[in-house]
Amino acid sequence: MLFLHQHGISSSRALRIYKTYGEESQAVLKENPYRLAQDIRGIGFKTADDIAYQLGVAEDAPERIKAGILHVLETAAGSGHCCAPETEVIKKAIDLLGVEALIAPQIDALIASDQIERHETFLYLPYLRAAEQSIAANVKSLAALPAAYPSIDEDAALTWVMKKTGKELADSQQRAVREALRHRLLIITGGPGVGKTTILRSILLILQSKQIKLVLAAPTGRAAKRLTESTGLEAKTLHRLLEYQGEGQWGRHRGKPLAGHLFVVDEASMIDAPLMAQFLSALPDGAHLLIVGDADQLPSVGPGMVLHDLIASDKVPCVKLAEIFRQAASSRIITSAHAINRGQVPDLKPSRSSDFFFLQESEPEEIKHTLVELAHTRLATKYGLDPIRDIQVLTPMNRNLLGTISLNQSLQLALNPPNELKFEIERFGVTFRVGDKVIQTHNNYDKEVFNGDIGHIVTIDADPVKVHVRYDADRLVEYEPGELDELQLAYALSIHKSQGSEFPCVIIPVSTQHYVLLERSLIYTAITRAKKLCVLVGDERALSLAVSKQESRKRWTGLRQLLCSSSGG
């Protein structure tokens, strides 16, 4: 600890380092301080580089150059890319390291030691290349097979299911049901209001009547809950289905596959390459797979754009739904979302009976003031909404006046102000008090709460300090003070965090302050989270800027090419 302190390392980091390496800590640091960035969560290249500098590691030391190159690829993965052009990696590594001549030879050295891979002009971290290769191989073998269900008379099945549900299926919907009964692997994609849920329910009812074992999953707890509600069948998160044990260990894999006949995955746009690879490798022989999702939503937070690449490859049977059905066509939330998706600014004229509004404000301070007022009083009074439970603010970013941090502070003050009778606790720069709406930000398998779960603080005990959060279905979860970094206030959420969820009412700030992040699928995803009411507050210029930009589609991935190549490598 003394050695680490002398080199400017804080006690909490020193403790983490000691927990990882034990008695070897000092030797590891002296030999290669850059191992810290590889081995310890929360220590990045910059910290390791500072420590290396303190220890007198030369600027052009091979281990420093290698660590810098790996950091560039890891940063790319953190931004959703599965690979990066070699020229881009070299450019970024020069910016990061301040040395030029030695980068190309160290890339070759990293390739020779299997720490990175080169394919054509792209560099990959091996685990991401392996994930995409595994997805491509499994998808190709599934797509090559016809369905192996007991014989089903499609016409009779459709007549039976329409009678049973009391819902007439349009021609496009009937076609989707038929396709699902014929293919081993099928993607059903389309925006809101096109009837994906109706189709899915019909397929599942028909197959259930044939004693087919159905397994339903989604990427997040909230998406799984919605799937359960819409189908009446139990749905699990993919992590729970695959028995994730933390530290990259899974209970279900190729050697111990899942059990079932038809596997259904909803909200598939959110699934990144490593998770999809794990899931496909755990499917049993003879399995059928139905992938449901909206490829125009934001891609996954993790690396890859799996659903988009599967559809774009044209190698996977796919039903693309575009027709908006009667009931949905009267919703301006849905018609506005489809307009945005086509690259058009939606109709912003106010209409009394509408479920979609745009309130013009230019200055960030005004936008924020209006937004808090809407959440606190105006919408609650007019529509009878509970300001904390029913209204959700969604914003593109975390920082800035209109980011989640600033908005959460203002909304907390308005919706859940302090008083002497309310216990509160401050940890990690956030004040939590009884009554607060909070979101879990990591998967915690011991507590069975997952990234994206939203709950409310019901009690805070003083001695010893314990915070109790109630999640859906009245589950109470206890947190100790040191675990509160897993919670954030949830009055305002980032749009990324809201994926797979639905809220009665959504308020979205649209400001040129966010111009770096503003783009079509971000706004589209935010609007489609609203069930009954959506209010945009901000600047019309910012909205048209967002609608005209499609940045999140620009991800470097190799999956589409792997699916289209005959070798699969």
Side-chain angles (χ1 to χ4, degrees), residues 134 138 238-245 248-259 263 274-285:
S134 170
N138 282 311
L238 282 165
H239 281 85
R240 186 172 286 175
L241 180 70
L242 296 167
E243 296 168 20
Y244 185 62
Q245 293 150 3
Q249 300 301 308
W250 304 82
R252 296 288 176 172
H253 41 75
R254 183 160 276 117
K256 191 186 172 194
L258 295 160
F263 292 81
L275 181 56
M276 185 60 104
Q278 186 64 38
F279 170 63
L280 292 175
S281 69
L283 291 179
D285 288 342

Side-chain angles (χ1 to χ4, degrees), residues 308-370:
H308 181 274
D309 285 350
L310 290 177
I311 295 169
S313 74
D314 276 337
K315 298 292 179 189
V316 182
C318 180
V319 174
K320 294 176 184 166
L321 303 162
E323 184 186 347
I324 304 174
F325 289 100
R326 256 197 328 278
Q327 194 187 348
S330 64
S331 159
R332 274 180 60 185
I333 292 173
I334 286 173
T335 53
S336 301
H338 283 274
I340 285 168
N341 211 9
R342 292 191 299 271
Q344 299 161 352
V345 173
D347 177 8
L348 302 178
K349 284 195 297 292
S351 147
R352 264 200 178 299
S353 60
S354 178
D355 56 2
F356 177 85
F357 295 94
F358 186 91
L359 303 183
Q360 176 68 36
E361 298 286 1
S362 307
E363 296 305 314
E365 291 80 7
E366 290 301 316
I367 295 174
K368 185 177 181 178
H369 175 73
T370 302

